[in-house]
């Protein structure tokens, strides 16, 4: 996406691969490109993306608010406060970092970051202003592209690394056509 977009990119539910080696987490070289793009990575609270599947802290399995704060700090140290947000993933995730089990616990993360020296302005950016800035910029880019007559593109930019819904539909249609052709041949032969 960073190679072809005119708008800033949002990694909505990720953490940093430097601190947790999960494929969904963002490596530092991509964070640097994200800064150049003007985008934001939103740190997720799901334990497996923050500290891995088998992290043990305080005698319990699973990440804590401390590890989430470590990810926020890593992004800030790598690319600056303007490129980090929070993306808890409460709408379907399981096993959240301890201390961040639901939205009522956001103040726990805020307090931890205050202890680490974050000021009110930085916290405002982290807690929503950064992602709002990116969304406004995306709307402006869309408006500019529309005014310039640019059309949305469905072109693929390289090999797919996963099977898209379109690919699945094409496979099903081919199977249906093949199966209906076999039925017609059988009906003709017995007919």
């Amino acid at each position: 996406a960073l190679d072809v977009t005119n708008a800033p990119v949002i990694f909505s539910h990720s953490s940093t691969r430097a601190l947790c080696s999960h494929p969904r987490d963002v490596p530092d070289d991509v964070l640097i490109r994200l800064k150049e793009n003007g985008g934001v990575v939103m740190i997720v609270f799901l334990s497996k993306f923050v500290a891995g599947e088998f992290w043990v802290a305080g005698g319990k399995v699973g990440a804590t608010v401390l590890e989430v704060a470590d990810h926020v700090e890593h992004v800030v140290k790598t690319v600056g406060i303007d490129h980090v947000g929070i993306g808890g993933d409460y709408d379907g995730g399981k096993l959240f970092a301890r201390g961040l089990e639901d939205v009522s616990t956001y103040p726990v993360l805020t307090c931890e970051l205050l202890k680490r020296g974050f000021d009110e302005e930085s916290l405002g950016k982290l807690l929503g202003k950064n992602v709002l800035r990116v969304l406004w910029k995306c709307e402006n880019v869309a408006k500019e592209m529309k005014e310039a007559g640019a059309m949305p593109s469905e072109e693929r930019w390289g090999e797919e690394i996963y099977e898209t819904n379109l690919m699945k539909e094409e496979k099903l249609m081919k199977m249906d056509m093949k199966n209906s052709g076999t039925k017609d041949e059988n009906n003709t032969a017995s007919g």
Side-chain angles (χ1 to χ4, degrees):
L2 289 168
D3 289 335
V4 297
T5 186
N6 294 326
V9 171
I10 298 173
F11 288 91
S12 62
H13 298 88
S14 298
S15 291
T16 62
R17 200 164 306 164
L19 300 183
C20 181
S21 185
H22 192 282
R24 187 162 124 177
D25 292 342
V26 183
D28 285 355
D29 63 318
V30 176
L31 285 175
I32 291 165
R33 293 187 64 210
L34 183 70
K35 178 181 181 176
E36 294 164 1
N37 164 270
V40 65
V41 59
M42 299 177 69
I43 303 301
V44 69
F45 299 164
L46 290 168
S47 189
K48 66 182 174 182
F49 303 121
V50 173
E53 295 284 351
F54 304 106
W55 179 263
V56 177
K60 297 180 182 178
V61 174
T64 70
V65 66
L66 300 176
E67 287 79 34
V68 172
D70 290 345
H71 282 272
V72 171
E73 277 192 320
H74 181 77
V75 173
V76 171
K77 288 176 182 172
T78 305
V79 294
I81 189 64
D82 293 331
H83 304 286
V84 65
I86 53 173
D89 209 1
Y90 291 123
D91 62 341
K94 295 178 183 168
L95 190 57
F96 294 95
R98 282 178 278 129
L100 294 170
E101 292 83 2
D102 60 49
V103 295
S104 72
T105 62
Y106 275 24
V108 176
L109 178 60
T110 303
C111 287
E112 178 58 31
L113 293 170
L114 283 168
K115 284 189 223 173
R116 294 180 185 211
F118 283 70
D119 60 20
E120 189 175 329
E121 181 182 354
S122 295
L123 290 171
K125 289 179 176 188
L126 169 76
L127 295 172
K129 288 183 177 180
N130 284 341
V131 75
L132 288 174
R133 172 187 48 79
V134 169
L135 291 172
W136 288 325
K137 177 65 176 167
C138 288
E139 286 182 3
N140 289 336
V141 168
K143 183 180 174 186
E144 291 166 7
M145 290 177 70
K146 184 176 180 180
E147 289 171 357
M151 298 297 291
S153 174
E154 294 294 326
E155 288 185 34
R156 294 200 176 117
W157 299 93
E159 270 187 60
E160 294 289 343
I161 57 172
Y162 60 92
E163 189 174 39
T164 65
N165 287 337
L166 178 62
M167 292 170 162
K168 291 175 188 174
E169 289 174 20
E170 288 171 350
K171 261 193 211 174
L172 288 172
M173 289 178 66
K174 286 178 185 176
M175 287 179 9
D176 285 348
M177 289 173 59
K178 184 178 178 182
N179 289 339
S180 67
T182 305
K183 288 178 188 174
D184 290 344
E185 290 171 13
N186 290 339
N187 289 340
T188 306
S190 64

